[in-house]
């Protein structure tokens, strides 16, 4: 899957690279095409234009060269004719260059304004000269033959030989240019020497004229068009430059030329005219030129222009096309650049969009495969289009197996428990077009036939316009969750130890069964079963043993129950019973009897001990007792107390007086609590005397000063005295006020022992010792040995170990312990032996009857004897008559308490009573 994604991504990237660097290829080709076409067109045009320019220039040069040749020819012709005429004139004058010759020369020169000088040389060597350059011409004419003289005139050998050839030439001869060394101003005054031989009567003479080169120009060129870049020249056949305008800068007239023009002329002696192109040595630049031979003379006229002019000319005509081509190139380049940028931007946008799309797809795929839920997507036909790994694991099918198959073929769901098929949610989404949740308690049957509890929903997938594309089904395995939930629910309603329903579930069922009983007009029995003396088992054998016993007990009870009945553990050793569908009360009683019987078989503890056990059951039945579920339970509880009171190991039915007693007890508790709150409690004291020695102490007895009923003794509130919520409060009050009173008497010199009654719940309270200590600490003048705590058997029966420890701790504080009402409960003397008591108070019920009842007499005798053996003090309570006192003294019971001695009295009366005390028995 991931591989597929990355492949498509790289393909997208290579595609985009075609665009990335250059833009679209066709655009680039078009641009290059335009460039090439324009460039080729430009080159072709340029070439043709160049050819045209060159041809045009050549034509111009040829024309000009022809004109120069013609002008030169004419000028030469004129000069020859005029010199020939002058020679004849001179010859006709017979004088050997007499004075007329000079006149003639001057006259001639006057007619030749372009000539610098003219002279004649006689064969005798005589020379006659006229004109500006007279001196140079004289020297020239006379010394040309002489090489030394020639050197003096600055002529090189080649010059000289050319000049000498001219001097001896039989006809008109144009010599190479020479420099007038004698010209003023130090100027470079070059002259062309023109020779014309004259055949005289006797001999041959030579006429010589000097044609000055002004700025390299022959006089005849005066009218010619002369642009500054153009040069005109006259070249001799032998290579000497005759004239050149502008004058040569690199070469001189004094040497033969070997530049391109000269070479052309030498190379093509037969051609009357020609065109050349090459390096001109005269000025050292490349030039294009045309030459034309001067007819009749060994001269060539030439015109040339530098290459740059040719270029400039060409450029002049080709500037516009070039600019056009350039513009075209620029335009196409800009156009291409613009389109490329546009393309690149579009490409960038496309790539970004592609990237975003890819990322979104990637994200969706990664999400799909990383979520913990199983996901299946289908098309609109309900065929699987995709599924993630979680779905694969849950269904047991591989993705490849199911793609394209109908969802129902792989996704089988049924109702938990009943296994009835459940409508496929995807079909429902396809029909209804909205999100659909799976039905509760849906179970998926996997490929292997395993069952998996699942949960969740299906939702439609829509396109942008809202059209249905398919369905996404999301679900997850809740097998474990459902198991845990069920377990938690069971835990919340069941007891962990016995596995029985707990109080919550019991109340639930009670309400339910009560409603059912009404509907079916049957009776419902509600019972509470409580083990007798289970606490002792816990104390003696530990909690583990207690737990084991409870478990076994639960099992035994359950075997005695019918299905439909409920046995629940309400807490501790208390069990709830619901017996349904009762038609006869007997049925309930039989069931209860069976249960009690089942429990009577002794239990075997893991340690091997045998524990005999019994239980008491309180019962009530609906609708005879037409009470609410809560009251039914309370009534069963009252009946349980009745069963306990009736001696345990039995069951009792609730009756209405029970309820009344319960209400009364509550009222008493309220009254006692109010008295505590409002300070209506007080203590009276009843003296205890020793027959021989008189008063030894007093017992503090609680009184309630009722606002309406007057002073009440404990008989009016006895049931509330040891109520769990009141016992400690009362105890603390009694300790504080009795100790305060005793301390007062001690201070007054009346060292009376004070006995206080402590309820079982206060004694067993873990704060009791601290309470006692605090009371002692608050009364430092009262020695602890003057304090006695009276307890009944109740406390040790409730928790023997704690009672034993507490009483031992009291002893360690110095406080005495008295066992009150001795003989009324189940306590035996051996049991007594284990408690750290110093005093036994024989209950008044025995004392009262010792006179008439020999059994009581025997008991008292036994108790007194045993107590003596144990070293305990014995006090007889309820001594109402002197007779009793006498009898008791005979039984060697010396300590007495009772109306016969004194009634309980207010503390103020005690000192008086002691003073007036008369011993009963002597
Ligand atoms: P008890 O501790 O056995 O106290 C002796 C009871 O016998 C007292 O009754 C007393 O007045 C009564 N009495 C004494 N001599 C005679 C006699 O010759 N004939 C008859 N018929 N009765 C006699 P009282 O004061 O009504 O107390 C009743 C019970 O209330 C006490 O029995 C004790 O168990 C409890 N009680 C009294 N005061 C307190 C107290 O401060 N705290 C607690 N927790 N219980 C107390
Ligand atoms: Mg007492
Ligand atoms: Mg008593």
């Amino acid at each position: 899957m991931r591989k597929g994604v990355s492949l498509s991504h790289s393909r997208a990237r290579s595609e985009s690279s075609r665009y990335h660097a250059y833009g679209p290829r066709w655009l680039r080709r078009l641009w290059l095409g335009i460039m090439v076409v324009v460039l080729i067109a430009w080159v072709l045009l340029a070439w043709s234009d160049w050819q045209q320019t060159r041809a045009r220039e050549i034509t111009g040069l040829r024309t000009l060269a022809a004109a120069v040749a013609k002008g030169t020819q004419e000028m030469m012709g004129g000069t020859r004719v005029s010199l020939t005429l002058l020679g004849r004139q001179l010859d006709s004058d017979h004088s050997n260059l007499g004075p007329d010759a000079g006149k003639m020369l001057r006259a001639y020169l006057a007619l030749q304004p372009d000539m610098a000088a003219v002279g004649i040389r006689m064969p005798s060597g005589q020379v006659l000269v006229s004109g500006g350059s007279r001196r140079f011409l004289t020297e020239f004419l006379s010394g040309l033959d002489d090489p030394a003289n020639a050197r003096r005139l600055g002529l090189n050998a080649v010059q000289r030989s050319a000049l000498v050839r001219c001097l001896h030439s039989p006809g008109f001869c144009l010599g190479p240019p020479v420099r007038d060394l004698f010209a003023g101003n130090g100027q470079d005054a070059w002259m062309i020497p023109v020779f014309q031989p004259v055949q005289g009567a006797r001999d041959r003479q030579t006429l010589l004229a000097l044609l000055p080169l002004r700025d390299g120009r022959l006089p005849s060129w005066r009218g010619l068009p002369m642009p500054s870049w153009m040069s005109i020249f006259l070249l001799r056949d032998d290579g000497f430059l005759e004239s050149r305008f502008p004058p040569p800068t690199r070469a001189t007239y004094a040497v033969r030329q070997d530049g391109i023009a000269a070479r052309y002329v030498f190379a093509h002696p037969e051609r009357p005219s020609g065109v050349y192109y090459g390096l001109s040595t005269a000025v050292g630049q490349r030039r294009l030129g045309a030459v034309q031979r001067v007819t009749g003379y060994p001269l060539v006229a030439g015109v040339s222009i530098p290459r740059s002019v040719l270029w400039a000319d060409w450029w002049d005509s080709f500037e516009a096309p070039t600019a056009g081509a350039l513009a075209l190139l620029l335009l196409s380049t800009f156009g291409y650049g613009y389109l490329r940028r546009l393309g690149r931007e579009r490409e960038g946008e496309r790539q970004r969009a592609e990237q975003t799309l890819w990322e979104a797809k990637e994200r969706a795929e990664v999400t799909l495969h990383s979520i913990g839920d199983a996901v299946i997507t289908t098309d609109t036909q309900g065929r699987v289009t995709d599924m993630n790994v979680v779905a694969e694991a849950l269904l047991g099918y591989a993705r490849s197996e199911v793609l394209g198959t109908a969802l129902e073929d792989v996704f089988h769901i049924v109702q938990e428990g009943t296994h009835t098929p459940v409508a496929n949610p995807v079909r429902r989404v396809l029909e209804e077009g909205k999100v659909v949740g799976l039905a509760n308690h849906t179970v998926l049957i996997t490929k292997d036939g395993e069952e998996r509890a699942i949960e969740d929903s299906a939702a439609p997938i829509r396109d942008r316009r809202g059209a249905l594309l398919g369905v996404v089904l999301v679900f997850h395995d809740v097998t474990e969750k459902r198991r845990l939930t069920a377990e938690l629910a069971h835990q919340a309603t069941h007891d962990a130890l016995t596995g029985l329903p707990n109080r919550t579930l019991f109340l639930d069922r009670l309400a339910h069964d009560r409603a059912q009983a009404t509907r079916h007009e049957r009776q419902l029995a509600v019972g509470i079963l409580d083990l007798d003396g289970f606490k002792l088992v816990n104390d003696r054998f530990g909690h583990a043993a207690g737990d084991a016993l409870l478990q076994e007990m639960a099992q035994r009870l359950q075997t005695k129950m019918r299905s439909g009945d409920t046995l629940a553990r309400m807490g501790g050793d208390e069990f709830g019973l619901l017996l349904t569908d009762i038609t006869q009360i007997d049925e309930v009683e039989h069931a209860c009897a069976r249960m009690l019987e089942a429990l009577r078989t002794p239990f075997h503890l893991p340690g091997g001990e045998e524990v005999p056990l019994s239980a008491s059951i309180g019962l009530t039945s609906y609708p005879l007792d037409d009470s609410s579920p809560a009251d039914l339970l309370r009534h069963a509880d009252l009946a349980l107390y009745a069963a306990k009171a009736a001696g345990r190991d039995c069951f009792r039915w609730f009756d209405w007086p029970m309820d009344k007693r319960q209400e009364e007890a509550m009222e008493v508790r309220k009254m006692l609590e109010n008295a505590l709150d409002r300070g209506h409690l007080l203590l009276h004291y009843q003296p205890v005397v020793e027959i021989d020695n008189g008063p030894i102490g007093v017992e503090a007895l609680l009184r309630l000063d009722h606002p309406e009923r007057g002073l009440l003794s404990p008989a009016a509130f006895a049931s509330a005295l040891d109520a769990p919520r009141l016992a400690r409060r009362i105890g603390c009050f009694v300790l504080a006020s009795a100790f305060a009173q005793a301390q007062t008497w001690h201070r007054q010199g009346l060292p009376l022992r004070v006995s206080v009654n402590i309820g079982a719940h206060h004694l067993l309270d873990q704060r009791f010792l601290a309470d006692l200590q605090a009371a002692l600490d608050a009364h430092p003048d009262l020695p602890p040995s003057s304090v006695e705590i009276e307890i009944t058997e109740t406390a040790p029966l409730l928790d023997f170990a704690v009672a034993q420890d507490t009483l031992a701790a009291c002893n360690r504080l110095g406080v005495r312990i008295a066992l009150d009402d001795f003989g009324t409960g189940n306590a035996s003397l051996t049991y007594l032996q284990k408690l750290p008591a110093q005093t036994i108070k024989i209950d008044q019920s025995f004392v009262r009857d010792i006179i008439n009842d020999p059994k009581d007499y025997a008991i008292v005798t036994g108790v007194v004897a045993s107590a003596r053996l144990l070293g305990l003090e014995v006090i007889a309570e309820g001594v109402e008559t002197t007779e009793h006192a006498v009898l008791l003294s005979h039984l060697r019971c010396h300590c007495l308490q009772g109306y016969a001695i004194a009634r309980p009295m207010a503390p103020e009366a005690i000192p008086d009573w002691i003073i007036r005390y008369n011993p009963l028995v002597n």
Side-chain angles (χ1 to χ4, degrees):
M1 170 60 64
R2 296 207 34 98
K3 198 170 154 199
V5 169
S6 58
L7 271 178
S8 68
H9 183 55
S10 72
R11 193 175 57 237
R13 280 188 33 182
S14 79
E15 252 168 43
S16 74
S17 71
R18 218 174 48 193
Y19 289 85
H20 200 70
Y22 314 110
R25 199 171 275 171
W26 65 265
L27 184 65
R28 185 162 162 264
R29 284 184 180 159
L30 178 67
W31 172 66
L32 282 174
I34 291 175
M35 296 288 277
V36 168
V37 166
V38 169
L39 276 173
I40 291 174
W42 184 85
V43 166
L44 290 176
L45 267 177
W47 177 247
S48 112
D49 202 73
W50 172 257
Q51 294 300 332
Q52 281 176 22
T53 305
R54 203 158 175 276
R56 204 170 53 239
E57 288 294 341
I58 286 169
T59 308
L61 288 170
R62 274 179 187 277
T63 312
L64 202 57
V68 171
K70 183 87 181 138
T72 305
Q73 185 197 12
E74 280 170 3
M75 188 200 74
M76 289 302 149
T79 306
R80 195 172 73 179
V81 170
S82 70
L83 281 176
T84 308
L85 286 175
L86 177 64
R88 280 192 196 141
Q89 266 184 338
L90 286 172
D91 186 56
S92 62
D93 180 8
H94 296 287
S95 62
N96 201 3
L97 295 180
D100 288 346
K103 273 185 200 163
M104 255 185 261
L105 284 180
R106 277 193 295 276
Y108 173 78
L109 208 56
L111 291 171
Q112 301 293 331
D114 292 332
M115 247 175 227
V118 69
I120 186 162
R121 183 177 130 137
M122 305 306 282
S124 59
Q126 193 190 354
V127 172
L128 185 63
V129 178
S130 180
S133 299
R134 261 192 323 273
R135 189 171 163 205
F136 173 70
L137 191 59
T138 307
E139 290 280 334
F140 187 78
L141 276 175
S142 50
L144 197 61
D145 296 339
D146 177 7
N149 198 35
R151 263 199 304 281
R152 209 159 45 82
L153 283 170
L155 301 174
N156 58 40
V158 188
Q159 259 181 317
R160 195 180 68 88
S161 90
L163 286 167
V164 169
R165 242 189 336 268
C166 252
L167 188 66
H168 299 292
S169 135
F172 181 81
C173 181
L174 203 65
V178 293
R179 199 154 80 194
D180 177 2
L181 294 173
F182 308 105
N185 307 332
Q187 288 174 349
D188 240 7
W190 288 90
M191 306 284 180
I192 298 176
V194 182
F195 297 82
Q196 177 66 50
V198 180
Q199 192 58 52
R202 294 174 296 269
D203 46 27
R204 190 173 169 269
Q205 303 141 22
T206 303
L207 266 173
L208 200 155
L210 290 176
L211 294 175
L213 283 176
R214 293 205 180 82
D215 222 0
R217 260 181 304 203
L218 277 174
S220 61
W221 295 355
R222 221 169 281 138
L224 291 174
M226 289 268 195
S228 60
W229 64 83
M230 187 183 277
S231 80
I232 305 178
F233 60 87
L234 208 55
L235 196 67
R236 287 166 55 91
D237 275 357
D238 59 4
F240 276 107
L241 191 61
E242 203 65 71
S243 66
R244 189 184 194 277
F245 175 81
T249 51
R250 296 282 178 88
T252 165
Y253 296 115
V255 293
R256 286 198 213 187
Q257 304 295 313
D258 62 351
I260 183 67
R263 286 208 303 276
Y264 183 83
V265 171
F266 297 152
H268 308 288
E270 77 293 347
R271 286 190 192 166
S273 66
V275 174
Y276 66 86
Y277 174 75
L279 184 70
S280 155
T281 49
V283 286
Q285 56 181 197
R286 291 194 165 271
R287 298 182 77 92
L288 174 69
V291 287
Q292 173 78 47
R293 289 188 185 273
V294 180
T295 320
Y297 298 93
L299 290 174
V300 177
V303 182
S304 75
I305 51 170
R307 189 171 54 174
S308 58
V309 170
L310 197 60
W311 281 120
D313 244 25
W314 169 77
W315 181 244
D316 267 358
S317 64
F318 204 60
E319 203 174 354
T322 304
L326 260 178
L328 212 59
L329 288 181
L330 280 176
L331 209 67
S332 69
T333 304
F334 281 135
Y336 170 61
Y338 173 74
L339 289 176
R340 210 173 79 157
R341 212 186 63 207
L342 210 67
R344 208 180 291 160
E345 277 169 13
R346 288 219 185 117
E347 174 58 17
E349 273 167 32
R350 194 185 63 79
Q351 277 184 28
R352 276 192 294 281
E354 195 178 70
Q355 177 72 11
T356 314
L357 200 67
W358 182 79
E359 279 173 11
K361 187 169 168 273
E362 180 77 358
R363 203 169 292 154
E365 278 185 4
V366 169
T367 309
L368 177 65
H369 289 278
S370 9
I371 52 176
D373 283 357
V375 180
I376 299 180
T377 56
T378 72
D379 58 15
T380 48
Q381 307 300 308
R383 285 183 301 244
V384 177
T385 52
D386 202 355
M387 71 196 269
N388 67 357
V389 281
V390 184
E392 284 181 316
L394 251 176
L395 294 182
Y397 288 100
R399 181 169 168 274
S400 53
E401 268 181 280
V402 300
L403 290 185
T405 56
L407 184 70
E408 287 89 344
D409 294 346
V410 291
F411 187 72
H412 308 282
I413 45 174
V414 295
Q415 188 67 31
E416 191 176 48
T418 62
H419 279 73
T420 47
V422 173
N424 194 311
V426 168
R427 290 289 162 207
R428 277 183 60 202
V429 172
L430 289 173
E431 278 157 23
E432 296 167 21
K434 58 183 187 197
V435 178
V436 169
L438 287 191
N440 268 342
H441 301 290
T442 308
V443 169
L444 172 76
I445 313 289
T446 69
K447 186 185 179 186
D448 306 333
E450 242 179 80
E451 287 189 16
R452 303 227 145 239
I454 58 166
E455 217 172 67
D456 242 328
S457 62
I461 310 172
R462 295 182 186 282
D463 69 6
R464 239 191 280 190
R465 284 179 295 278
L468 202 62
L469 293 176
V471 179
V472 58
L473 175 70
V474 181
F475 56 101
H476 54 263
D477 189 351
V478 292
T479 311
E480 187 61 8
K481 184 176 142 192
R482 253 181 228 168
R483 193 187 61 72
L484 278 174
T485 312
E487 200 177 293
L488 278 177
H490 186 268
Q491 274 174 21
T493 54
H494 287 76
D495 169 51
L497 182 69
T498 58
L500 294 176
N502 63 8
R503 188 182 189 87
T504 316
L505 184 56
F506 179 82
L507 291 175
D508 234 43
R509 295 218 181 139
L510 169 56
H512 172 262
D513 291 348
R514 181 176 170 274
Q516 288 290 103
T518 315
R519 204 167 303 142
H520 299 125
E521 295 183 355
R522 293 288 172 89
Q523 292 182 47
L524 166 71
V526 181
I528 299 226
L529 181 149
D530 190 279
L531 292 185
D532 301 328
F534 175 70
K535 206 160 168 44
L536 280 173
V537 177
N538 254 347
D539 290 343
R540 270 178 64 189
F541 305 106
H543 285 276
D547 286 353
L549 192 146
L550 283 173
Q551 279 170 334
E552 198 189 327
M553 202 202 100
Q555 274 169 17
R556 285 195 200 176
L557 287 177
Q558 212 146 27
T559 56
K560 306 296 167 199
M561 309 281 295
R562 299 167 308 167
S563 69
D565 290 350
T566 298
L567 173 69
R569 183 167 176 220
M570 309 294 272
D573 58 349
E574 203 176 84
F575 294 80
L577 303 170
L578 290 175
L579 308 177
T580 54
D581 283 337
I582 303 295
T583 45
Q584 306 263 324
I585 283 297
D586 293 358
E587 295 169 29
V588 181
E589 295 190 344
H590 289 315
C592 286
R594 278 201 308 273
M595 281 189 253
L596 293 179
E597 182 53 42
L599 297 181
R600 275 182 209 121
T601 318
F603 288 87
H604 293 276
L605 292 177
E609 295 94 338
E610 266 195 6
V611 183
L613 217 69
S614 65
S616 308
I617 303 176
L619 290 166
T620 190
S621 96
Y622 177 83
L624 280 177
D625 177 0
D626 190 8
S627 303
S628 68
D631 279 344
L632 285 173
L633 205 58
R634 192 169 57 83
H635 292 164
D637 213 33
L638 288 174
L640 174 66
Y641 279 112
K644 294 262 181 193
R648 306 172 169 194
D649 196 11
C650 62
F651 60 86
R652 283 288 178 274
W653 285 98
F654 163 75
D655 58 28
W656 286 106
M658 279 182 195
D659 200 30
K660 197 161 178 286
R661 284 196 294 278
Q662 179 74 9
E663 266 170 31
E664 282 166 5
M666 209 166 76
E667 263 169 34
V668 168
R669 278 201 298 277
K670 250 185 229 157
M671 178 185 73
L672 188 58
E673 196 167 7
N674 277 340
L676 256 172
D677 292 342
R678 295 174 191 158
H680 288 171
L681 290 184
L682 55 129
L683 291 177
H684 276 188
Y685 295 86
Q686 186 179 30
V688 179
V689 297
E690 212 183 322
I691 294 177
D692 301 333
N693 301 324
I696 54 163
V698 291
E699 180 180 3
L701 294 164
L702 198 61
R703 297 292 178 265
L704 192 151
D705 190 8
H706 196 275
E708 287 142 30
R709 293 156 64 188
L711 204 61
L712 303 178
S713 55
F717 51 85
S719 62
L721 267 176
D722 199 31
R725 284 197 307 121
L726 292 175
R728 182 168 176 250
R729 287 188 67 190
I730 291 166
C732 288
F733 164 77
V734 172
L735 287 174
S737 69
F739 287 8
Q741 187 55 61
Q743 179 172 262
T744 308
W745 286 325
H746 271 260
R747 285 178 182 160
Q748 290 170 356
L750 247 178
L752 287 173
R753 188 170 86 191
V754 65
S755 302
V756 290
N757 296 281
I758 292 298
H761 279 106
H762 190 199
L763 186 81
L764 297 179
D765 191 305
Q766 45 187 338
R767 292 164 294 185
F768 173 73
L769 283 172
D771 292 342
L772 177 63
Q773 182 71 63
L776 286 172
D777 291 348
H779 306 96
D781 291 344
L782 178 68
S785 56
S786 300
V787 171
E788 188 171 64
I789 284 172
E790 292 188 12
I791 59 153
T792 60
E793 284 172 2
T794 332
L797 276 178
L798 284 176
D799 196 330
F800 189 84
V802 174
Q804 201 178 24
D805 289 351
T806 309
L807 296 179
C810 291
N811 276 176
R812 284 195 293 279
L813 287 175
V815 173
R816 293 172 62 89
I817 305 295
L819 293 178
D820 205 355
D821 301 346
F822 190 79
T824 51
N826 292 347
S828 62
L829 276 172
T830 42
Y831 172 79
L832 212 180
Q833 200 181 358
K834 292 183 182 164
L835 288 172
Q838 285 75 45
T839 305
I840 291 175
K841 295 182 85 167
I842 303 173
D843 191 71
Q844 47 185 290
S845 57
F846 300 108
V847 175
R848 203 178 296 134
D849 291 340
I850 47 170
I851 292 170
N852 306 319
D853 192 338
K855 250 195 238 163
D856 285 351
Y857 181 85
I859 290 172
V860 174
T861 312
V863 170
V864 172
S866 315
R868 275 182 164 274
L869 281 173
L870 291 168
L872 301 174
E873 181 188 78
V874 184
I875 300 175
E877 284 187 314
V879 181
E880 289 186 351
T881 63
T882 315
E883 239 181 312
H884 284 96
V886 172
L887 193 53
L888 284 163
S889 80
H890 284 308
L891 289 174
R892 305 183 70 181
C893 175
H894 300 299
C895 297
L896 309 173
Q897 179 182 357
Y899 294 166
I901 295 120
R903 284 185 174 258
M905 62 190 86
E908 306 81 53
I910 291 288
D912 233 27
W913 179 86
I914 287 176
I915 291 164
R916 282 200 229 124
Y917 171 70
N918 285 317
L920 273 178
V921 186
N922 287 314

